Amino acid sequence: MLRLDGVSVRFGGLAALTDVSFEVAKGEILGLVGPNGAGKTTLFNTISGLVKPRGRIVFDGRDVTSKALHQRARVGIGRTFQIPQPMHQLTVRENLEVAQVFGAGALEPARIDEILAVMELSHKADADAATALALQELKRLEIAKALAIRPRVLLLDEVLAGLESRAKRLFMLKLKELHALYGLTIVVVEHDIETISNLCSRAVVLDFGRLIADGTPEEVFRNPDVVKSYTGGTH
């Protein structure tokens, strides 16, 4: 479904990503793991079209490396941002409408109604998105905007960050529901080991912009290189 071939990104003298290669299978839930500054968000920015890399990004057999942001959205690459970014002075519904027109090229009111219901936001559909939503609702709105474009792969950047334990568990169940309901391929950035272990069948680990591990969550979190990248130690 999604393949990265030798993806590298530099910001001036800083190597943010170096020769990163891996594949994501159709229908997979993949965890993208690594310490702060490892390059995870840069990788998402590269896949979604915000940053141009060296190397190749192939989606569903099509080279999208040179495609613009809206073109990648329209072939089925959706994403969220670590810090929720509702469009100010617009209602929740209008946020979805803008995202849908940009990412899908046309407005589908029935699809928006469905997503509002699935994401438990119908009761806030006409509320101001920037002022009337709690943190958990803002995170659901981020996902709803991404779903509005009919994505086939969904890139989730720390959507569980800042939530307490019970809210995290409920959010994980929601992600599993979306995965089954829409047949999504999901790549999720998350620091919490328990979350990755419960949600993902596989994880890849970045450290200083390089891929250092790829395997099941159990294999990855026992990998000495991964342990060292998080703790500086060997246990």
Side-chain angles (χ1 to χ4, degrees):
M1 171 64 76
L2 177 66
R3 189 175 82 245
L4 280 69
D5 292 333
V7 169
S8 298
V9 173
R10 295 189 70 88
F11 299 118
L14 173 67
L17 295 172
T18 303
D19 198 27
V20 175
S21 299
F22 65 88
E23 294 189 34
V24 187
K26 183 177 180 180
E28 186 173 23
I29 303 181
L30 174 73
L32 180 58
V33 185
N36 289 330
K40 304 182 295 297
T41 296
T42 298
L43 188 64
F44 270 16
N45 289 343
T46 301
I47 296 169
S48 61
L50 286 171
V51 172
K52 186 174 181 179
R54 292 169 53 195
R56 288 205 316 158
I57 300 169
V58 179
F59 178 69
D60 200 20
R62 180 187 306 182
D63 189 333
V64 298
T65 313
S66 298
K67 299 293 185 184
L69 184 67
H70 73 281
Q71 292 173 312
R72 298 192 202 195
R74 291 182 186 184
V75 298
I77 299 175
R79 68 156 308 169
T80 67
F81 290 86
Q82 182 177 349
I83 299 173
Q85 300 183 30
M87 286 169 262
H88 288 256
Q89 298 181 327
L90 296 182
T91 66
V92 169
R93 183 186 300 277
E94 288 167 341
N95 268 257
L96 267 64
E97 290 173 346
V98 171
Q100 189 176 71
V101 170
F102 173 83
L107 194 60
E108 295 182 74
R111 168 80 173 183
I112 287 176
D113 287 339
E114 174 187 300
I115 293 169
L116 287 169
V118 169
M119 297 309 298
E120 302 170 44
L121 289 170
S122 296
H123 66 297
K124 293 286 184 77
D126 298 317
D128 185 294
T131 62
L133 301 185
L135 176 61
Q136 195 171 155
E137 293 170 328
L138 284 170
K139 289 177 177 291
R140 292 204 299 266
L141 176 61
E142 273 292 295
I143 295 175
K145 288 191 295 181
L147 291 174
I149 73 167
R150 291 191 176 275
R152 288 183 289 159
V153 62
L154 189 57
L155 311 176
L156 302 177
D157 195 352
E158 296 199 43
V159 290
L160 284 78
L163 301 179
E164 46 85 17
S165 297
R166 181 175 181 276
K168 274 192 175 184
R169 288 194 295 271
L170 292 174
F171 222 97
M172 269 200 297
L173 292 175
K174 178 60 67 177
L175 295 180
K176 290 180 179 180
E177 177 188 344
L178 297 175
H179 175 253
L181 181 63
Y182 294 115
L184 292 169
T185 301
I186 296 176
V187 183
V188 56
V189 169
E190 176 56 47
H191 285 287
D192 186 78
I193 292 174
E194 182 181 0
T195 298
I196 292 293
S197 298
N198 289 333
L199 183 62
C200 304
S201 57
R202 177 173 153 239
V204 296
V205 185
L206 295 179
D207 188 31
F208 292 109
R210 295 181 180 274
L211 193 149
I212 62 169
D214 183 343
T216 67
E218 182 177 3
E219 291 169 344
V220 160
F221 292 125
R222 290 180 180 274
N223 185 306
D225 291 335
V226 176
V227 174
K228 185 176 180 179
S229 74
Y230 272 97
T231 67
T234 56
H235 299 290

